[in-house]
Amino acid sequence: MQTLVFTNDVAGELVRRIDEAQAYGTYALADSNTARLVWNRLVECRPELGAVKLIVIPAGDMNKNIDSLTHIWSELQGMGANRHSLMLNVGGGMVTDIGGFAASTFKRGMRFMNVPTTLLGAVDAAVGGKTGINFGGLKNEVGVFNEAEAVVISTCVFSSLPQMELYSGYAEMVKHGLLEGNEALSRLLEYDPVSADYDRLLSLLEESVGVKRRVVSEDPFEKGLRKSLNLGHTVGHAFESLAMEKGCPVPHGYAVAWGIVVELVLSHMQKGFPSDCLRRISDYVRLHYGTPAVGCNDYPRLLELMHHDKKNLDARINFTLLEAPGVVALDCTADENEIMTAMDIFRDLMSI
Ligand code: GLY
């Protein structure tokens, strides 16, 4: 099983793990931001890390593509890596996704570890073995399931993140709290991610990543239970794409936070999800994530986007819903009228 390490001494942990790994050469992959803001600082902290050969790719999800992948393979080849070498992916979801894919395919697979540098990456992308690149205009179109042998998670690397990035990652933690149950959810809603209490955040993160790890260990290839991690994402992805089309992109986690509220409204309508908890979540989301720029004129496009969701098996729109916190209903569907009613209630709750 994948080793998860929660520490605020990342540099020391990496030195220990590289030493133990006895690999045939160690490589670090970073993007142009994390090379400067994180990797260089880790090397300053522990100069032994200077012996690790650094590969840098341009930052941004638009660079999670075949060109960056080819660049990584060429660098590995040029520097003589083999399948006994070790790669450290140091970055957000973009770096851990493409780095995991590059390592899984180079020489039919070399060893790799993830060092997430964003809260979103730590709670989601770095853990659970989904790797890949965008292709042909579609996100995560080509990739493999393959878990990093270890994920080294620290909250002190988040100190340079903008507030919006922290809230964006925290939405996925709230999602995990909803999947886990009332107590885990309450602990999350009592904390404000920008309060900069990195020790508290580390312990909440450990609990939250534990939820994802349990789900993934039961269903690594998303045949059943892993679909629960899609809570909030059917509507969330539609909000995210709509905002992009309107030329005002929103962070992934903001779209997911709004998507969670709409899908909890649907959960209330179909599965009796408790209204007091729905109200609590919608208040939290309104306070920390604001409100999306959507009116009823946007409903037809939002529905179209939901129809294109790759989770749908047929013409119906697929949802993960909840009967209550901790009680998941997989493979649910809703017709267009129900979704539009849920959107109306969502807009009331959010005072749009
Ligand atoms: N991001 C959801 C999953 O890893 O399955």
Side-chain angles (χ1 to χ4, degrees), residues 124-125 127-130 145 172 175-176 212 215-216 220 222 226-227 229-230 233 252:
D124 194 17
V127 179
K130 285 187 178 174
F145 284 101
E172 297 283 357
K175 177 193 81 179
H176 289 163
K212 175 157 185 183
V215 168
V216 171
E222 203 166 315
R226 188 165 184 165
K227 294 184 203 168
L229 299 175
N230 294 327
H233 284 66
H252 173 73

PDB file of all heavy atoms in Angstrom, residues 124-125 127-130 145 172 175-176 212 215-216 220 222 226-227 229-230 233 252, ligand 1:
ATOM      1  N   ASP A 124      -5.961  15.541  -3.106  1.00  0.00           N
ATOM      2  CA  ASP A 124      -6.600  14.812  -4.195  1.00  0.00           C
ATOM      3  C   ASP A 124      -5.580  14.206  -5.174  1.00  0.00           C
ATOM      4  O   ASP A 124      -5.282  13.014  -5.108  1.00  0.00           O
ATOM      5  CB  ASP A 124      -7.591  15.731  -4.920  1.00  0.00           C
ATOM      6  CG  ASP A 124      -8.523  14.950  -5.833  1.00  0.00           C
ATOM      7  OD1 ASP A 124      -8.614  13.725  -5.669  1.00  0.00           O
ATOM      8  OD2 ASP A 124      -9.151  15.556  -6.711  1.00  0.00           O
ATOM      9  N   ALA A 125      -5.008  15.023  -6.060  1.00  0.00           N
ATOM     10  CA  ALA A 125      -4.267  14.459  -7.210  1.00  0.00           C
ATOM     11  C   ALA A 125      -3.070  13.583  -6.833  1.00  0.00           C
ATOM     12  O   ALA A 125      -2.796  12.584  -7.495  1.00  0.00           O
ATOM     13  CB  ALA A 125      -3.796  15.598  -8.113  1.00  0.00           C
ATOM     14  N   VAL A 127      -2.573  11.606  -4.434  1.00  0.00           N
ATOM     15  CA  VAL A 127      -2.889  10.350  -3.742  1.00  0.00           C
ATOM     16  C   VAL A 127      -3.880   9.555  -4.574  1.00  0.00           C
ATOM     17  O   VAL A 127      -4.844  10.123  -5.104  1.00  0.00           O
ATOM     18  CB  VAL A 127      -3.537  10.679  -2.364  1.00  0.00           C
ATOM     19  CG1 VAL A 127      -3.910   9.405  -1.626  1.00  0.00           C
ATOM     20  CG2 VAL A 127      -2.617  11.541  -1.544  1.00  0.00           C
ATOM     21  N   GLY A 128      -3.664   8.271  -4.721  1.00  0.00           N
ATOM     22  CA  GLY A 128      -4.712   7.441  -5.325  1.00  0.00           C
ATOM     23  C   GLY A 128      -4.398   6.910  -6.700  1.00  0.00           C
ATOM     24  O   GLY A 128      -5.175   6.154  -7.262  1.00  0.00           O
ATOM     25  N   GLY A 129      -3.259   7.312  -7.294  1.00  0.00           N
ATOM     26  CA  GLY A 129      -2.770   6.604  -8.467  1.00  0.00           C
ATOM     27  C   GLY A 129      -3.320   7.020  -9.817  1.00  0.00           C
ATOM     28  O   GLY A 129      -3.051   6.358 -10.811  1.00  0.00           O
ATOM     29  N   LYS A 130      -4.091   8.114  -9.897  1.00  0.00           N
ATOM     30  CA  LYS A 130      -4.496   8.565 -11.233  1.00  0.00           C
ATOM     31  C   LYS A 130      -3.367   9.400 -11.810  1.00  0.00           C
ATOM     32  O   LYS A 130      -2.937  10.383 -11.189  1.00  0.00           O
ATOM     33  CB  LYS A 130      -5.782   9.397 -11.167  1.00  0.00           C
ATOM     34  CG  LYS A 130      -7.026   8.563 -10.950  1.00  0.00           C
ATOM     35  CD  LYS A 130      -8.287   9.416 -11.075  1.00  0.00           C
ATOM     36  CE  LYS A 130      -9.537   8.568 -10.898  1.00  0.00           C
ATOM     37  NZ  LYS A 130     -10.768   9.376 -10.875  1.00  0.00           N
ATOM     38  N   PHE A 145      -3.522   4.142 -14.188  1.00  0.00           N
ATOM     39  CA  PHE A 145      -3.608   4.091 -12.733  1.00  0.00           C
ATOM     40  C   PHE A 145      -2.293   3.499 -12.233  1.00  0.00           C
ATOM     41  O   PHE A 145      -1.925   2.385 -12.613  1.00  0.00           O
ATOM     42  CB  PHE A 145      -4.734   3.146 -12.294  1.00  0.00           C
ATOM     43  CG  PHE A 145      -6.123   3.692 -12.444  1.00  0.00           C
ATOM     44  CD1 PHE A 145      -6.936   3.317 -13.509  1.00  0.00           C
ATOM     45  CD2 PHE A 145      -6.651   4.563 -11.491  1.00  0.00           C
ATOM     46  CE1 PHE A 145      -8.235   3.801 -13.629  1.00  0.00           C
ATOM     47  CE2 PHE A 145      -7.955   5.048 -11.610  1.00  0.00           C
ATOM     48  CZ  PHE A 145      -8.743   4.668 -12.674  1.00  0.00           C
ATOM     49  N   GLU A 172     -12.272  20.202  -1.502  1.00  0.00           N
ATOM     50  CA  GLU A 172     -12.169  18.744  -1.623  1.00  0.00           C
ATOM     51  C   GLU A 172     -12.109  18.109  -0.232  1.00  0.00           C
ATOM     52  O   GLU A 172     -12.568  16.981  -0.042  1.00  0.00           O
ATOM     53  CB  GLU A 172     -10.922  18.346  -2.441  1.00  0.00           C
ATOM     54  CG  GLU A 172     -10.931  18.822  -3.894  1.00  0.00           C
ATOM     55  CD  GLU A 172     -11.824  17.996  -4.838  1.00  0.00           C
ATOM     56  OE1 GLU A 172     -12.413  16.989  -4.405  1.00  0.00           O
ATOM     57  OE2 GLU A 172     -11.927  18.385  -6.020  1.00  0.00           O
ATOM     58  N   LYS A 175     -15.607  17.943   0.932  1.00  0.00           N
ATOM     59  CA  LYS A 175     -16.232  16.787   0.253  1.00  0.00           C
ATOM     60  C   LYS A 175     -15.903  15.493   1.005  1.00  0.00           C
ATOM     61  O   LYS A 175     -16.795  14.681   1.274  1.00  0.00           O
ATOM     62  CB  LYS A 175     -15.715  16.717  -1.192  1.00  0.00           C
ATOM     63  CG  LYS A 175     -16.232  15.531  -1.981  1.00  0.00           C
ATOM     64  CD  LYS A 175     -15.455  15.328  -3.279  1.00  0.00           C
ATOM     65  CE  LYS A 175     -14.144  14.598  -3.040  1.00  0.00           C
ATOM     66  NZ  LYS A 175     -13.362  14.361  -4.259  1.00  0.00           N
ATOM     67  N   HIS A 176     -14.637  15.307   1.367  1.00  0.00           N
ATOM     68  CA  HIS A 176     -14.266  14.095   2.112  1.00  0.00           C
ATOM     69  C   HIS A 176     -14.997  14.051   3.457  1.00  0.00           C
ATOM     70  O   HIS A 176     -15.407  12.976   3.909  1.00  0.00           O
ATOM     71  CB  HIS A 176     -12.751  14.044   2.342  1.00  0.00           C
ATOM     72  CG  HIS A 176     -11.973  13.771   1.078  1.00  0.00           C
ATOM     73  ND1 HIS A 176     -10.621  13.999   0.951  1.00  0.00           N
ATOM     74  CD2 HIS A 176     -12.363  13.287  -0.127  1.00  0.00           C
ATOM     75  CE1 HIS A 176     -10.217  13.668  -0.262  1.00  0.00           C
ATOM     76  NE2 HIS A 176     -11.258  13.244  -0.939  1.00  0.00           N
ATOM     77  N   LYS A 212      -9.796   9.478   1.508  1.00  0.00           N
ATOM     78  CA  LYS A 212      -9.558   9.132   0.104  1.00  0.00           C
ATOM     79  C   LYS A 212      -8.806   7.805   0.006  1.00  0.00           C
ATOM     80  O   LYS A 212      -9.125   6.956  -0.827  1.00  0.00           O
ATOM     81  CB  LYS A 212      -8.780  10.248  -0.605  1.00  0.00           C
ATOM     82  CG  LYS A 212      -8.428   9.824  -2.026  1.00  0.00           C
ATOM     83  CD  LYS A 212      -8.171  10.930  -3.005  1.00  0.00           C
ATOM     84  CE  LYS A 212      -7.963  10.302  -4.389  1.00  0.00           C
ATOM     85  NZ  LYS A 212      -7.635  11.211  -5.414  1.00  0.00           N
ATOM     86  N   VAL A 215     -11.123   4.828   0.474  1.00  0.00           N
ATOM     87  CA  VAL A 215     -11.998   4.626  -0.690  1.00  0.00           C
ATOM     88  C   VAL A 215     -11.195   3.987  -1.831  1.00  0.00           C
ATOM     89  O   VAL A 215     -11.622   3.005  -2.441  1.00  0.00           O
ATOM     90  CB  VAL A 215     -12.602   5.984  -1.140  1.00  0.00           C
ATOM     91  CG1 VAL A 215     -13.266   5.873  -2.494  1.00  0.00           C
ATOM     92  CG2 VAL A 215     -13.589   6.502  -0.096  1.00  0.00           C
ATOM     93  N   VAL A 216     -10.002   4.549  -2.102  1.00  0.00           N
ATOM     94  CA  VAL A 216      -9.194   4.062  -3.228  1.00  0.00           C
ATOM     95  C   VAL A 216      -8.719   2.631  -2.970  1.00  0.00           C
ATOM     96  O   VAL A 216      -8.670   1.810  -3.890  1.00  0.00           O
ATOM     97  CB  VAL A 216      -8.003   5.016  -3.486  1.00  0.00           C
ATOM     98  CG1 VAL A 216      -7.025   4.425  -4.489  1.00  0.00           C
ATOM     99  CG2 VAL A 216      -8.504   6.365  -3.977  1.00  0.00           C
ATOM    100  N   PRO A 220      -9.671   0.702  -6.402  1.00  0.00           N
ATOM    101  CA  PRO A 220      -8.641   1.526  -7.056  1.00  0.00           C
ATOM    102  C   PRO A 220      -8.988   1.951  -8.475  1.00  0.00           C
ATOM    103  O   PRO A 220      -8.543   3.004  -8.929  1.00  0.00           O
ATOM    104  CB  PRO A 220      -7.395   0.619  -7.054  1.00  0.00           C
ATOM    105  CG  PRO A 220      -7.854  -0.742  -6.680  1.00  0.00           C
ATOM    106  CD  PRO A 220      -9.177  -0.623  -5.998  1.00  0.00           C
ATOM    107  N   GLU A 222     -12.019   2.630  -9.863  1.00  0.00           N
ATOM    108  CA  GLU A 222     -13.282   3.379 -10.001  1.00  0.00           C
ATOM    109  C   GLU A 222     -14.402   2.557 -10.650  1.00  0.00           C
ATOM    110  O   GLU A 222     -15.087   3.013 -11.565  1.00  0.00           O
ATOM    111  CB  GLU A 222     -13.030   4.682 -10.780  1.00  0.00           C
ATOM    112  CG  GLU A 222     -14.100   5.733 -10.495  1.00  0.00           C
ATOM    113  CD  GLU A 222     -13.723   7.126 -10.969  1.00  0.00           C
ATOM    114  OE1 GLU A 222     -12.584   7.553 -10.740  1.00  0.00           O
ATOM    115  OE2 GLU A 222     -14.598   7.779 -11.562  1.00  0.00           O
ATOM    116  N   ARG A 226     -15.245   4.250  -5.527  1.00  0.00           N
ATOM    117  CA  ARG A 226     -14.421   5.435  -5.838  1.00  0.00           C
ATOM    118  C   ARG A 226     -15.259   6.537  -6.488  1.00  0.00           C
ATOM    119  O   ARG A 226     -14.898   7.713  -6.435  1.00  0.00           O
ATOM    120  CB  ARG A 226     -13.223   5.046  -6.720  1.00  0.00           C
ATOM    121  CG  ARG A 226     -12.250   6.198  -6.902  1.00  0.00           C
ATOM    122  CD  ARG A 226     -10.912   5.767  -7.455  1.00  0.00           C
ATOM    123  NE  ARG A 226     -10.009   6.904  -7.511  1.00  0.00           N
ATOM    124  CZ  ARG A 226      -8.704   6.818  -7.674  1.00  0.00           C
ATOM    125  NH1 ARG A 226      -8.121   5.645  -7.787  1.00  0.00           N
ATOM    126  NH2 ARG A 226      -7.958   7.905  -7.721  1.00  0.00           N
ATOM    127  N   LYS A 227     -16.390   6.140  -7.106  1.00  0.00           N
ATOM    128  CA  LYS A 227     -17.255   7.161  -7.721  1.00  0.00           C
ATOM    129  C   LYS A 227     -17.776   8.135  -6.663  1.00  0.00           C
ATOM    130  O   LYS A 227     -18.240   9.220  -6.985  1.00  0.00           O
ATOM    131  CB  LYS A 227     -18.446   6.504  -8.418  1.00  0.00           C
ATOM    132  CG  LYS A 227     -18.075   5.663  -9.616  1.00  0.00           C
ATOM    133  CD  LYS A 227     -19.350   5.158 -10.264  1.00  0.00           C
ATOM    134  CE  LYS A 227     -19.107   3.913 -11.071  1.00  0.00           C
ATOM    135  NZ  LYS A 227     -20.349   3.267 -11.471  1.00  0.00           N
ATOM    136  N   LEU A 229     -16.113   9.808  -4.766  1.00  0.00           N
ATOM    137  CA  LEU A 229     -15.239  10.992  -4.775  1.00  0.00           C
ATOM    138  C   LEU A 229     -15.691  12.017  -5.809  1.00  0.00           C
ATOM    139  O   LEU A 229     -15.174  13.124  -5.862  1.00  0.00           O
ATOM    140  CB  LEU A 229     -13.784  10.569  -5.045  1.00  0.00           C
ATOM    141  CG  LEU A 229     -13.166   9.618  -4.023  1.00  0.00           C
ATOM    142  CD1 LEU A 229     -11.771   9.192  -4.467  1.00  0.00           C
ATOM    143  CD2 LEU A 229     -13.087  10.261  -2.639  1.00  0.00           C
ATOM    144  N   ASN A 230     -16.662  11.628  -6.639  1.00  0.00           N
ATOM    145  CA  ASN A 230     -17.188  12.575  -7.635  1.00  0.00           C
ATOM    146  C   ASN A 230     -18.276  13.486  -7.057  1.00  0.00           C
ATOM    147  O   ASN A 230     -18.821  14.319  -7.777  1.00  0.00           O
ATOM    148  CB  ASN A 230     -17.759  11.817  -8.844  1.00  0.00           C
ATOM    149  CG  ASN A 230     -16.658  11.089  -9.601  1.00  0.00           C
ATOM    150  OD1 ASN A 230     -15.529  11.568  -9.654  1.00  0.00           O
ATOM    151  ND2 ASN A 230     -16.969   9.929 -10.161  1.00  0.00           N
ATOM    152  N   HIS A 233     -18.948  17.038  -8.299  1.00  0.00           N
ATOM    153  CA  HIS A 233     -18.178  17.265  -9.525  1.00  0.00           C
ATOM    154  C   HIS A 233     -19.015  17.285 -10.801  1.00  0.00           C
ATOM    155  O   HIS A 233     -18.584  17.865 -11.791  1.00  0.00           O
ATOM    156  CB  HIS A 233     -17.043  16.241  -9.642  1.00  0.00           C
ATOM    157  CG  HIS A 233     -15.896  16.553  -8.728  1.00  0.00           C
ATOM    158  ND1 HIS A 233     -16.010  16.504  -7.354  1.00  0.00           N
ATOM    159  CD2 HIS A 233     -14.618  16.948  -8.970  1.00  0.00           C
ATOM    160  CE1 HIS A 233     -14.850  16.842  -6.809  1.00  0.00           C
ATOM    161  NE2 HIS A 233     -13.988  17.118  -7.773  1.00  0.00           N
ATOM    162  N   HIS A 252     -10.787  25.390  -9.548  1.00  0.00           N
ATOM    163  CA  HIS A 252     -11.523  24.122  -9.541  1.00  0.00           C
ATOM    164  C   HIS A 252     -12.351  23.945  -8.249  1.00  0.00           C
ATOM    165  O   HIS A 252     -13.533  23.618  -8.290  1.00  0.00           O
ATOM    166  CB  HIS A 252     -10.518  22.975  -9.696  1.00  0.00           C
ATOM    167  CG  HIS A 252     -11.118  21.624  -9.549  1.00  0.00           C
ATOM    168  ND1 HIS A 252     -11.926  21.059 -10.508  1.00  0.00           N
ATOM    169  CD2 HIS A 252     -11.041  20.705  -8.534  1.00  0.00           C
ATOM    170  CE1 HIS A 252     -12.317  19.862 -10.101  1.00  0.00           C
ATOM    171  NE2 HIS A 252     -11.797  19.618  -8.914  1.00  0.00           N
TER     172      HIS A 252
HETATM  173  N1  GLY B   1     -10.270  12.891  -8.007  1.00  0.00           N
HETATM  174  C1  GLY B   1     -11.055  11.781  -7.681  1.00  0.00           C
HETATM  175  C2  GLY B   1     -10.303  10.493  -7.698  1.00  0.00           C
HETATM  176  O1  GLY B   1      -9.115  10.464  -7.523  1.00  0.00           O
HETATM  177  O2  GLY B   1     -10.909   9.475  -7.920  1.00  0.00           O
END
